[in-house]
Amino acid sequence: MGIRHEWFQTEQFITVTIFAKGVTDDKLQIVIGKQNLSVIVKIDDHTDYTIDIILQHPVDPDTSSHKIFKTKVEIRLRKATGVRWDSLEHKETMDVNQRVYPTSNRRNPVDWDRVEAEVEKQDAEEKKEGDAALNELFQKIYADGNEDTRRAMIKSFQESGGTVLSTNWNDIGAKETEVKPPDGMEYKKWNE
């Protein structure tokens, strides 16, 4: 006698179907817990078909039920919450840092964490030029500097209209920073 089971879900119920012919109440034992299901179907005096699983999500045992048909047994488990179940059985918890990405490529799924690591490695190895290199240098000085260095950089840059950038708080903190335009240019206020 080939016995097997399948399951499907609706918004409110999980239905586990055990395909077995001629099952009667005296040959069936079902225990439904808040997050577990245990089923024993007696096939003969020496053989049992057993399902003993921890469910993926909690169910309401009081409003769950089962029915015996000629060719199957249906167990209806009422969901405690209306979430969609990915599987019937609870899987071991994943590492908190492990991410799961959806994919339509079932044969060769892409490891996006590895792709991200490769891109970050390439970005780190890439030599920047011109303004990008200068901007990166200023960002590094600001990030690595102490509180006085950061304060001096902000104050000098704002007060000079972006023409001066100093890291010396003792020099910048004592007076207002004057505007020093590049050679060949003159400074004008925006309302002049």
Side-chain angles (χ1 to χ4, degrees):
M1 182 180 205
I3 298 179
R4 62 185 172 87
H5 73 275
E6 293 179 356
W7 73 282
F8 65 90
Q9 65 183 308
T10 62
E11 285 186 32
Q12 296 178 343
F13 289 96
I14 295 292
T15 302
V16 179
T17 305
I18 301 169
F19 295 97
K21 293 180 181 177
V23 176
T24 57
D25 271 334
D26 60 322
K27 293 183 179 179
L28 180 66
Q29 180 183 351
I30 299 175
V31 178
I32 301 170
K34 286 194 180 284
Q35 200 163 348
N36 64 312
L37 173 65
S38 178
V39 181
I40 300 172
V41 178
K42 260 213 183 310
I43 298 169
D44 56 39
D45 291 337
H46 305 290
T47 313
D48 293 341
Y49 179 78
T50 305
I51 300 173
D52 192 15
I53 56 175
I54 297 173
L55 300 169
Q56 186 179 25
H57 296 286
V59 296
D60 183 1
D62 298 331
T63 57
S64 297
S65 62
H66 73 278
K67 285 185 182 179
I68 300 173
F69 297 94
K70 289 182 183 180
T71 58
K72 65 183 179 179
V73 176
E74 268 191 11
I75 305 166
R76 287 183 51 146
L77 307 170
R78 181 178 285 276
K79 294 179 179 180
T81 59
V83 298
R84 184 181 181 287
W85 292 24
D86 294 327
S87 69
L88 182 62
E89 295 186 50
H90 174 73
K91 296 177 183 168
E92 291 297 317
T93 56
M94 295 187 317
D95 179 13
V96 174
N97 296 326
Q98 182 181 0
R99 295 181 281 189
V100 178
Y101 301 98
T103 182
S104 59
N105 188 347
R106 301 250 184 249
R107 290 186 197 146
N108 299 316
V110 177
D111 181 1
W112 291 108
D113 290 328
R114 185 176 49 80
V115 171
E116 180 183 21
E118 288 175 9
V119 169
E120 287 175 356
K121 182 180 174 187
Q122 288 173 354
D123 285 348
E125 291 173 354
E126 184 180 302
K127 288 280 187 189
K128 295 185 178 170
E129 297 177 3
D131 288 344
L134 189 61
N135 193 25
E136 185 178 48
L137 172 67
F138 290 146
Q139 287 177 0
K140 184 171 176 13
I141 292 170
Y142 185 85
D144 294 345
N146 61 20
E147 191 63 35
D148 284 344
T149 301
R150 287 189 216 129
R151 198 175 328 148
M153 289 178 76
I154 291 170
K155 183 177 185 288
S156 64
F157 193 78
Q158 287 180 341
E159 289 180 353
S160 71
T163 61
V164 175
L165 185 62
S166 174
T167 58
N168 185 352
W169 178 249
N170 294 331
D171 183 37
I172 296 297
K175 61 184 186 323
E176 187 169 330
T177 308
E178 65 181 69
V179 177
K180 294 183 182 174
D183 292 337
M185 302 186 118
E186 67 179 72
Y187 172 73
K188 288 187 178 182
K189 292 193 177 191
W190 65 275
N191 57 1
E192 289 181 0

